[in-house]
């Protein structure tokens, strides 16, 4: 009994996407700010949706828990929306996996397609919930108000996309693909083609049995390549050869000229 491939695909993609979305939610690196005025040249400000960190690239030191220093940034509307939608995405993904796992056939004869499809629908919605705030934040990347940005007229603003945006996109897409593929399983329980969940038995297979060929007892003097035998047997001797185990009656009316006075091999 093998588990259908669409369910395996969904159960692999959904947890991977959930881990990436979790990293994107908690890590403070949705965007980075470089080349700040009146600051060290190696200072990089990393801003997330929960915290702000100052990182020095030369010494590899990092200072976090700086949220109180930049309340202007957290007052942006997208920040509160992203916090709520990312948490909702994580919760919905966990619920979808909890619903889909019992529907997948691992210990039963065939899967529960309706239950697995419903779990796939929840996972699909969780991916959408993760993509929306990330795409919105990317659109407003350079226009978010923040006191951490100290503009220098001599230098252009250097605001870059953080790795959390990339991870969030990948995680959301994986959840969307996994949930959509699992939801396609509802076709199997609504009149669609069965996707291999039926056990393979020998009852439906046609068993070929060769037809027995009747045996034909041929005389030893019979040659396949020629119609007439090269040994000058008489008709009576041929009849005697077909039933040589039995005692042969001598026919005094016919004489075999080729074996005169010599007994048959079978009589010895």
């Amino acid at each position: 009994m093998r588990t259908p491939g669409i369910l395996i695909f969904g159960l692999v993609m959904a947890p991977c996407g959930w881990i990436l979305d979790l990293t994107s939610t908690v890590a403070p690196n949705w965007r980075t700010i470089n080349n700040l005025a009146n600051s060290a040249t190696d200072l990089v400000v990393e801003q997330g949706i929960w915290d702000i960190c100052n990182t020095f690239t030369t010494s590899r030191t990092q200072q976090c828990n700086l949220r109180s220093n930049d309340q202007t940034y957290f007052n942006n509307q997208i920040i509160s929306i992203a916090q709520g939608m990312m948490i909702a995405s994580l919760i919905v993904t966990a619920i979808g996996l909890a619903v889909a796992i019992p529907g997948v056939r691992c210990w039963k004869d065939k899967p529960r397609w309706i239950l697995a499809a419903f779990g796939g629908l929840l996972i699909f919605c969780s991916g959408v919930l993760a993509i929306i705030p990330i795409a919105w934040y990317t659109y407003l990347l350079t226009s978010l108000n923040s006191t951490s940005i100290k503009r220098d007229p001599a230098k252009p603003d250097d605001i870059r996309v953080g790795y959390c945006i990339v991870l969030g996109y990948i995680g959301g897409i994986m959840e969307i693909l996994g949930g959509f593929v699992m939801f396609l399983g509802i076709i199997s329980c609504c009149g669609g083609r069965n996707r291999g969940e039926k056990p393979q038995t020998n009852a439906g297979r046609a068993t070929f049995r060769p037809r027995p060929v009747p045996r034909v007892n041929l005389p030893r003097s019979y040659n396949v390549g020629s119609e007439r035998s090269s040994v000058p047997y008489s008709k009576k001797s041929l009849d005697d050869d077909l039933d040589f185990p039995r005692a042969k009656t001598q026919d005094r009316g016919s004489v075999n000229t080729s074996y005169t006075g010599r007994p048959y091999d079978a009589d010895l």
Side-chain angles (χ1 to χ4, degrees), residues 18-221:
W18 185 85
I19 293 174
L20 294 178
D21 286 344
L22 178 63
T23 305
S24 176
T25 302
V26 300
N29 199 301
W30 283 53
R31 74 172 184 174
T32 60
I33 304 172
N34 303 286
N35 298 330
L36 298 177
N38 301 324
S39 300
T41 56
D42 62 339
L43 174 63
V44 177
V45 179
E46 300 176 352
Q47 295 179 333
I49 60 176
W50 301 100
D51 197 5
I52 296 177
C53 296
N54 291 337
T55 303
F56 296 90
T57 57
T58 303
S59 59
R60 300 293 181 180
T61 59
Q62 189 177 40
Q63 300 175 357
C64 295
N65 298 325
L66 302 177
R67 177 171 180 168
S68 59
N69 297 339
D70 194 353
Q71 289 296 329
T72 303
Y73 170 77
F74 290 99
N75 290 333
N76 290 289
Q77 183 181 11
I78 184 58
I79 302 300
S80 59
I81 293 176
Q83 291 174 351
M85 296 189 72
M86 293 301 292
I87 293 177
S89 174
L90 296 175
I91 296 175
V92 173
T93 303
I95 296 175
L97 288 173
V99 172
I101 289 176
V104 177
R105 181 190 63 200
C106 294
W107 52 87
K108 295 183 178 295
D109 293 337
K110 61 181 180 179
R112 300 176 181 177
W113 285 110
I114 297 179
L115 195 61
F118 181 69
L121 180 61
L122 292 178
I123 295 173
F124 177 85
C125 295
S126 67
V128 175
L129 289 175
I131 291 293
I132 291 176
I134 292 175
W136 192 356
Y137 188 96
T138 305
Y139 177 75
L140 302 175
L141 184 69
T142 59
S143 61
L144 295 176
N145 298 324
S146 176
T147 57
S148 299
I149 302 178
K150 301 177 182 178
R151 301 185 181 277
D152 188 355
K155 298 179 182 180
D157 295 337
D158 189 3
I159 302 176
R160 305 175 185 177
V161 174
Y163 64 83
C164 291
I165 298 293
V166 179
L167 296 180
Y169 270 122
I170 297 175
I173 292 173
M174 292 178 70
E175 290 177 349
I176 289 175
L177 291 177
F180 178 74
V181 171
M182 291 183 67
F183 182 73
L184 290 180
I186 200 171
I187 300 176
S188 297
C189 67
C190 296
R193 183 179 179 181
N194 201 319
R195 301 180 183 273
E197 69 275 6
K198 286 185 177 180
Q200 297 180 356
T201 59
N202 295 328
R205 297 181 181 179
T207 303
F208 175 76
R209 295 182 178 179
R211 184 177 180 180
V213 180
R215 296 183 60 183
V216 177
N217 295 324
L218 298 178
R220 288 176 295 176
S221 61

